[in-house]
Amino acid sequence: MSRNMRWGLAGLAVVLIAAGAVLIWQGSEHRHAEVIPWGLLVPGYVYFALLATGSCIVNSIYTVFGYKGPNEEYEKIIKLGVFFSLASLIPAWIMILMDLSKGPLAAMSMFIHTKEGFSLFFQPRSAIAWMALLYMIEGLLLLVELIYFIRGEVSEKLKMMKSLELVIALAVLIASVLVFSNLGQVFGDVMAIPAWYGPHMAVYFIISAIAIGAAGQALFVSLFARSLGVREFTAWYYSRILMISLPILAFVKGWMVINSYYNPASWEAYREIVSTPTFYVFDVFLLLVLPFIVAIVAYYRKNMALLILATLLLVVAGFVSKYNLLIYPQIAFIQSYLGEAGHVHYAPTEFEMMIFTGSVLVYIALLILGVLLLPLKPGEKPKTLYIFK
């Protein structure tokens, strides 16, 4: 990459962060209560959290289980994968904080309470409080893991400490699984929404995370696959993950719909989902059927273009699927409460769109800056930031 291109990308990243910050600030300042309490920002948060956590689980195939590829190709992309996981947490944090409150300081009320003076108190019965804590732990562990891999590139002492590497990797994997098990609990305990209630949400979120996280990471890694000489491995490896995870996701999703059919209260919500054309277009065809077929061909031909097509379909349809699952059951619940009072319709407000768009712009900027500033590829020495010197 030429010097001028690096400066151009750095300038673009700064512009994106500035634009994103303005949109987030304006959107949060003018937000107001909506008929649907968990609107666009909640599916947005869940989606990016899936992207980050699923990417962590994919990384564990190398970091925990020791798979390096036929010719040790995985060592060339692992830092890219860990950085992608860490960066993908940021938009999730922004959206959930903006949704819960007017900003990060107000969100701290989950932990800090004024009672007989100032005191710090964690609420162990609050699943949302646990979500905040687990995400902070996961983010910190990912940062530690990234620093370890970067320093291990130039430190023979660290490179030989395989037990430390395994401990860090295990901690990241455990935190990732706990995060989405707990997220499933957040939705699974909402008895007012029968479509969510039950233990199936945790399983659904974990397998969704693997599929979406693998797709997102594959898109990011594919940008560097040619220069790293791992195009065939990337196409073969990520296609294989999609071939395994998508049938399991289809089974779990189908089981959820069939099970709800025999529960009148739950079926009220799922009927809202399956009666929309987007369910069959996005949830079935573009999320499950077409990416699976394309991934099979990409796997056997080791074709990068087909892998990119499959992952693009998954990334887009995966968001629509989560949006449908979180929005339509709320519509069904409110309509059942109102009865004949009227039909409920939800569309994201301008201010929700501003926060969502701003978060995505910040995310893109962070990915660009990470590639420019951090030594994420083999042979790059840590020389840009002080902590990595």
Side-chain angles (χ1 to χ4, degrees):
M1 186 184 298
S2 67
R3 186 180 181 87
N4 288 339
M5 182 177 291
R6 291 178 67 88
W7 278 108
L9 287 173
L12 174 62
V14 171
V15 170
L16 290 176
I17 289 177
V22 170
L23 287 172
I24 293 166
W25 176 65
Q26 287 292 321
S28 63
E29 284 293 309
H30 297 92
R31 279 196 68 218
H32 50 80
E34 299 294 330
V35 175
I36 300 297
W38 291 0
L40 173 67
L41 298 182
V42 174
Y45 150 72
V46 169
Y47 176 77
F48 279 101
L50 282 167
L51 204 60
T53 306
S55 177
C56 289
I57 296 173
V58 171
N59 292 335
S60 71
I61 296 173
Y62 170 85
T63 58
V64 176
F65 301 104
Y67 177 71
K68 297 182 179 181
N71 298 300
E72 299 192 347
E73 294 94 340
Y74 217 138
E75 290 189 356
K76 298 179 180 180
I77 63 173
I78 184 58
K79 287 186 289 184
L80 291 167
V82 174
F83 170 70
F84 178 80
S85 303
L86 179 59
S88 298
L89 278 177
I90 306 303
W93 279 339
I94 293 172
M95 280 186 260
I96 198 62
L97 288 175
M98 293 302 103
D99 187 65
L100 290 174
S101 62
K102 285 289 186 179
L105 293 179
M108 289 302 294
S109 61
M110 287 187 292
F111 299 98
I112 301 174
H113 305 270
T114 302
K115 184 177 180 181
E116 299 177 357
F118 180 81
S119 62
L120 186 65
F121 179 70
F122 179 73
Q123 303 179 67
R125 294 187 177 182
S126 170
I128 294 295
W130 275 108
M131 283 307 304
L133 179 62
L134 288 170
Y135 268 114
M136 284 190 278
I137 292 172
E138 183 183 27
L140 179 61
L141 289 172
L142 279 170
L143 182 60
V144 170
E145 186 174 44
L146 181 61
I147 293 173
Y148 174 85
F149 278 118
I150 289 175
R151 292 296 304 147
E153 187 83 12
V154 293
S155 171
E156 288 296 328
K157 184 177 179 180
L158 272 180
K159 195 178 295 184
M160 297 301 294
M161 297 174 66
K162 293 299 181 182
S163 58
L164 177 60
E165 179 182 335
L166 181 60
V167 167
I168 296 171
L170 276 172
V172 171
L173 177 60
I174 292 169
S176 300
V177 174
L178 286 175
V179 160
F180 267 93
S181 298
N182 190 71
L183 183 61
Q185 185 78 355
V186 169
F187 288 96
D189 278 346
V190 183
M191 297 179 67
I193 312 290
W196 298 344
Y197 180 67
H200 57 271
M201 291 296 279
V203 178
Y204 172 73
F205 278 140
I206 290 173
I207 191 60
S208 293
I210 294 172
I212 294 174
Q217 188 181 117
L219 280 177
F220 182 63
V221 170
S222 68
L223 298 173
F224 312 95
R226 182 185 293 275
S227 62
L228 296 178
V230 294
R231 278 178 63 86
E232 286 193 355
F233 170 76
T234 301
W236 173 82
Y237 172 70
Y238 288 102
S239 297
R240 190 172 189 177
I241 295 177
L242 298 184
M243 287 168 58
I244 295 170
S245 60
L246 287 177
I248 300 173
L249 178 60
F251 173 79
V252 174
K253 196 174 185 69
W255 178 82
M256 290 166 63
V257 175
I258 294 169
N259 185 62
S260 71
Y261 182 77
Y262 296 97
N263 182 338
S266 182
W267 184 243
E268 287 295 319
Y270 271 95
R271 188 166 54 191
E272 287 284 336
I273 298 175
V274 301
S275 63
T276 60
T278 57
F279 174 79
Y280 300 98
V281 175
F282 287 94
D283 286 61
V284 177
F285 185 67
L286 296 182
L287 177 66
L288 301 173
V289 178
L290 188 57
F292 179 67
I293 295 172
V294 175
I296 290 175
V297 181
Y299 172 76
Y300 285 106
R301 293 188 177 181
K302 297 182 180 179
N303 188 300
M304 177 64 77
L306 290 175
L307 171 68
I308 291 173
L309 173 60
T311 53
L312 282 172
L313 291 170
L314 259 172
V315 165
V316 174
F319 175 76
V320 176
S321 174
K322 299 301 167 288
Y323 180 90
N324 289 344
L325 180 65
L326 300 186
I327 296 299
Y328 283 107
Q330 294 181 80
I331 293 175
F333 168 73
I334 294 171
Q335 285 182 168
S336 66
Y337 177 77
L338 294 176
E340 300 296 326
H343 181 73
V344 177
H345 174 72
Y346 170 76
T349 65
E350 174 188 354
F351 307 112
E352 288 175 314
M353 290 295 295
M354 290 171 70
I355 295 172
F356 181 87
T357 304
S359 302
V360 173
L361 292 180
V362 170
Y363 176 53
I364 295 171
L366 290 175
L367 291 176
I368 294 172
L369 289 175
V371 172
L372 293 177
L373 299 178
L374 300 177
L376 300 178
K377 291 179 281 187
E380 288 185 327
K381 293 186 177 180
K383 58 185 180 180
T384 305
L385 300 180
Y386 178 78
I387 191 173
F388 298 129
K389 285 185 179 179

